[in-house]
Amino acid sequence: MTTVPTVTLNNGVSIPQLGFGVFQVPADETQRAVETALQAGYRHIDTAAAYRNEAGVGAAIAAAGLPREELFITTKLRNGEQATAAEAFEASRQALGLEVIDLYLIHWPVPSQDKYIDAWKALEKIYADGGARAIGVSNFLPEHLERLLAATDVLPTVNQIEVHPTFQQRELAAATRDAGIAVEAYSPLGQGADLTDPAVLAIAQAHDATPAQVVLAWHLAAGTIVIPKSVDPQRIAQNLAAVDVRLTDAEIESLNGLEAGARTGADPATAAFTQM
Ligand SMILES: NC(=O)c1ccc[n+]([C@@H]2O[C@H](COP(=O)([O-])OP(=O)(O)OC[C@H]3O[C@@H](n4cnc5c(N)ncnc54)[C@H](OP(=O)(O)O)[C@@H]3O)[C@@H](O)[C@H]2O)c1
C-alpha cells in the first residue's frame, strides 16, 4: 500500500498530504468514486456542503468499514449559511454520518456579505466543543486573513486555495505560510488543463510517470497539501502513486516557470455564490 506523507497542522493534528477531492462528482456517483479511492489507499477526502454529495461520501465511509481514526474528512461551510454556521455544521455531520469532522472550512470569504468573522467565531465554538478536530478557511486573500487574525482567537490551520503550475499564487501562498497556516492546493491539476504542457510531458516521459503524477509531485515537493479529483479508477490510483515520484531541482524549476495567471475558478475578492 502506498504511504502518503502527512503534514502537521498548527494545532498538532496530522493531515495526509495527498487527498481525494469530490467537487463536480455527481451525487449518485460519489459513493462509488470514494469507495474506489479508499480501496486505492486514499485516507483523506475533501467535500463541501455546496458539492451536494456529502451523503455519498458518508455512504462510502460506512461501506468501507475502516477505523475512523485512519480517515481524514474535510467539509466546508456553504456561503449562504455563514450566519447559521452551527446549524450548517450539524447538517454536514448528519449527511456524512460522522460525529467528528476532521477539518471544517469556511468555503469562501464572500466579502460583499461581510459575515466571515461571525462565521469564524461559530467555527471556533465547534472546534472548542470537539465537533471538528481542526478548522480553517478557503479562498482567503491576505486582507481576509489579516482581518480574521486581528478579530478572532483561533488561527486557521489551513487556507485551501487554487494552486497549480499555470496559476501558482506565490504571494498568497507565502502570506498564508508566514501566518503559520498550511497551504492546501485545490484544482491542483488546473482541472486537467496543465497536463498537456510540453514541459510537464517531457518530465513525465523522463520519469515514466503520468503528467498528473508530475504535477502532483511538484506540489508535494513544495510541502503543499493536495486534493486531486478523478472519477476514473485508473487515474484515481495513478494520482495517489505520485507520492513515489521525486523530481530533480531542475525539473521543479522548470515547472515553477509555467506561471501564466491561468485561474480556473472564481476570484475570491469578488466571488459571491451565496446560493451555494
Ligand atoms: N475550496 C474551493 O473553493 C475549491 C474549488 C475547486 C476545487 N476544490 C477541491 O479541490 C479538488 C480538486 O480540484 P478540481 O476538481 O477543481 O480539479 P483538479 O483535481 O485539478 O482536476 C480534475 C480534472 O482533472 C481530470 N484528471 C484527474 N486526474 C487525471 C489524470 N491522472 N489524468 C488526466 N486527467 C485527470 C479529471 O477528470 P476525470 O474525473 O474524468 O478523471 C477532472 O476533469 C475538488 O474536487 C475539491 O475537493 C475546492
Side-chain angles (χ1 to χ4, degrees):
M1 182 75 71
T2 311
T3 305
V4 177
T6 56
V7 168
T8 303
L9 302 175
N10 62 30
N11 69 345
V13 166
S14 286
I15 180 170
Q17 197 183 353
L18 195 154
F20 182 67
V22 296
F23 176 45
Q24 291 176 328
V25 180
D28 60 355
E29 281 180 45
T30 302
Q31 179 176 352
R32 182 201 58 77
V34 174
E35 281 185 31
T36 303
L38 293 172
Q39 275 156 16
Y42 291 80
R43 292 295 178 265
H44 166 186
I45 311 293
D46 184 272
T47 184
Y51 302 166
R52 300 178 195 278
N53 58 18
E54 288 172 310
V57 173
I61 292 168
L66 291 162
R68 175 66 185 89
E69 63 275 14
E70 281 188 21
L71 296 171
F72 192 100
I73 310 299
T74 299
T75 193
K76 313 185 190 86
L77 173 65
R78 209 189 282 268
N79 295 339
E81 294 181 317
Q82 288 190 357
T84 51
E87 292 86 339
F89 180 71
E90 282 309 320
S92 284
R93 258 211 295 217
Q94 288 234 340
L96 286 160
L98 297 175
E99 268 298 299
V100 176
I101 303 298
D102 296 282
L103 177 60
Y104 194 48
L105 305 179
I106 296 182
H107 205 150
W108 293 84
V110 201
S112 57
Q113 72 179 5
D114 196 21
K115 288 186 181 144
Y116 65 85
I117 298 293
D118 284 347
W120 186 253
K121 289 180 180 167
L123 264 63
E124 288 182 329
K125 178 153 190 338
I126 289 165
Y127 178 57
D129 292 346
R133 296 173 63 228
I135 53 176
V137 295
S138 178
N139 294 300
F140 271 45
L141 300 175
E143 63 260 34
H144 309 130
L145 290 175
E146 273 165 36
R147 185 166 163 225
L148 191 79
L149 267 51
T152 64
D153 297 326
V154 178
L155 185 63
T157 55
V158 312
N159 189 13
Q160 185 181 118
I161 54 175
E162 180 176 344
V163 178
H164 45 92
T166 60
F167 189 65
Q168 300 182 23
Q169 301 220 76
R170 284 191 209 131
E171 279 180 25
L172 174 55
T176 297
R177 290 193 169 106
D178 287 349
I181 301 167
V183 174
E184 184 170 18
Y186 78 64
S187 305
L189 309 173
Q191 297 200 328
D194 286 12
L195 303 180
T196 50
D197 186 282
V200 174
L201 295 175
I203 298 168
Q205 199 168 24
H207 285 264
D208 199 14
T210 69
Q213 286 171 337
V214 166
V215 171
L216 294 170
W218 172 81
H219 285 285
L220 295 171
T224 306
I225 303 159
V226 72
I227 45 171
K229 169 266 178 190
S230 179
V231 291
D232 178 276
Q234 199 184 356
R235 289 174 176 176
I236 289 172
Q238 285 172 346
N239 291 349
L240 186 71
V243 298
D244 295 322
V245 176
R246 297 277 172 281
L247 302 178
T248 66
D249 290 347
E251 288 166 343
I252 290 171
E253 271 310 306
S254 155
L255 296 169
N256 288 347
L258 298 185
E259 172 60 47
R263 189 196 286 281
T264 66
D267 182 347
T270 49
F273 317 110
T274 43
Q275 76 285 5
M276 275 177 64

